[in-house]
Amino acid sequence: MSIDPTAQIHPSSIIEEGAVIGAEVRIGPFCHIGPKVRIARGVTLQSHVVVQGICEIGEDTLVHPFAVLGGIPQDKKFKGEETQLFVGARNRIREHVTMNTGTEGGGGVTRVGDDGLFMAGCHVAHDCQIGNNVVVVNNAALAGHCIIEDDVIIGGLSGVHQFVRIGRGAIIGAVTMVTNDVIPHGLVQAPRGVLDGLNLIGLKRRGVARSDITALRAAFQMLAQGDGAFQDRARRLGEETESDYVRDIVRFVTAESDRSFLTPGKG
């Protein structure tokens, strides 16, 4: 066990032999830290937090009571192999959040980026790959193997099907079931997940140039109403556009995927 002398640990908490606790970490009452856990500088576990498995928590992350990080996958194919969970820096993980380690068949690693907000009761399943500045609202659930790119917002009580990719800057409305890939900067809502436009509010909040927003609007119209298959339309966009934001959509659409795309106006 390695505990930095500047760490503050409540005497009721259990730190198992082998754990590594960094500088200025604060561990409140009744937490349980497993033997293969590494907690970086400035992390706060408020109380009743369980961190287990092979799990690393990045600097200055705040974890609220009753969160469980590094639990084994909820996957019947899991046979006890050693897999991992990496949580980045400056995340805010609220009450009753669960994040599982990976599976051998999915690459063995669940990864969460930096500066995310995971609200109360949400779930990150095995082998998910989550980018930076992601917000997952109360009681939303990400199934196994999902890829969530940077700056995505997933509304409360929503579910994301396994292997789905959600592109950078997209927003998922509350109480939505997402069963197919979502293009970058897309707006998805309705119970069965309809691609209903662009996340214009998010684009404006991030200070995206008006010229890029105009290009994205035109690109969306072409994807919605142009001739040919959805991916063919995207490839033509890549040949015609000068906007990096539109190229981001083209990159996403032309990449390999295990799920088809949500197309405009269709669940």
Side-chain angles (χ1 to χ4, degrees):
M1 181 174 4
S2 173
I3 300 177
D4 189 277
T6 62
Q8 302 176 36
I9 301 173
H10 193 277
S12 65
S13 287
I14 297 173
I15 314 296
E16 294 196 33
E17 189 65 37
V20 177
I21 310 298
E24 301 173 14
V25 168
R26 292 180 292 174
I27 299 177
F30 302 106
C31 295
H32 189 167
I33 311 302
K36 297 180 180 179
V37 170
R38 301 178 65 91
I39 299 179
R41 174 187 291 272
V43 169
T44 297
L45 311 181
Q46 287 190 337
S47 73
H48 299 84
V49 174
V50 175
V51 188
Q52 53 194 176
I54 304 175
C55 180
E56 183 173 327
I57 302 179
E59 292 187 356
D60 297 317
T61 288
L62 171 62
V63 186
H64 287 251
F66 302 103
V68 180
L69 309 180
I72 63 172
Q74 298 178 117
D75 185 339
K76 293 176 71 174
K77 298 186 297 296
F78 182 74
K79 301 302 181 185
E81 60 268 24
E82 288 198 333
T83 55
Q84 303 171 66
L85 168 67
F86 292 118
V87 177
R90 298 176 302 280
N91 286 287
R92 289 171 288 167
I93 299 172
R94 295 303 303 256
E95 298 82 359
H96 298 279
V97 169
T98 53
M99 296 182 177
N100 294 159
T101 58
T103 63
E104 186 176 38
V109 179
T110 303
R111 192 178 304 276
V112 176
D114 301 333
D115 300 300
L117 172 57
F118 298 86
M119 296 189 193
C122 71
H123 174 63
V124 176
H126 58 87
D127 305 297
C128 284
Q129 307 296 311
I130 299 178
N132 302 323
N133 300 300
V134 168
V135 177
V136 183
V137 182
N138 303 69
N139 297 301
L142 310 180
H145 313 278
C146 290
I147 297 174
I148 312 297
E149 295 189 344
D150 295 349
D151 302 312
V152 167
I153 298 174
I154 298 175
L157 297 167
S158 294
V160 181
H161 193 281
Q162 62 185 356
F163 293 103
V164 160
R165 299 180 302 144
I166 299 181
R168 179 167 68 100
I171 186 168
I172 311 300
V175 198
T176 298
M177 182 64 208
V178 184
T179 57
N180 298 96
D181 291 348
V182 178
I183 61 171
H185 315 294
L187 164 64
V188 172
Q189 55 188 352
R192 296 303 300 178
V194 174
L195 182 58
D196 199 26
L198 295 170
N199 182 15
L200 295 173
I201 292 174
L203 290 164
K204 291 172 182 177
R205 284 177 176 172
R206 291 194 295 275
V208 174
R210 183 180 295 274
S211 59
D212 282 310
I213 293 177
T214 300
L216 282 167
R217 285 179 181 271
F220 185 85
Q221 287 301 114
M222 181 175 176
L223 288 172
Q225 300 174 1
D227 296 327
F230 186 73
Q231 290 196 339
D232 292 337
R233 283 176 259 165
R235 291 188 184 96
R236 289 201 302 274
L237 275 175
E239 296 168 358
E240 298 170 2
T241 189
E242 296 182 359
S243 169
D244 287 340
Y245 287 85
V246 176
R247 290 193 187 103
D248 195 31
I249 292 177
V250 174
R251 165 199 62 80
F252 188 89
V253 171
T254 55
E256 290 186 8
S257 175
D258 291 308
R259 304 294 299 177
S260 60
F261 285 88
L262 280 177
T263 52
K266 298 180 181 179

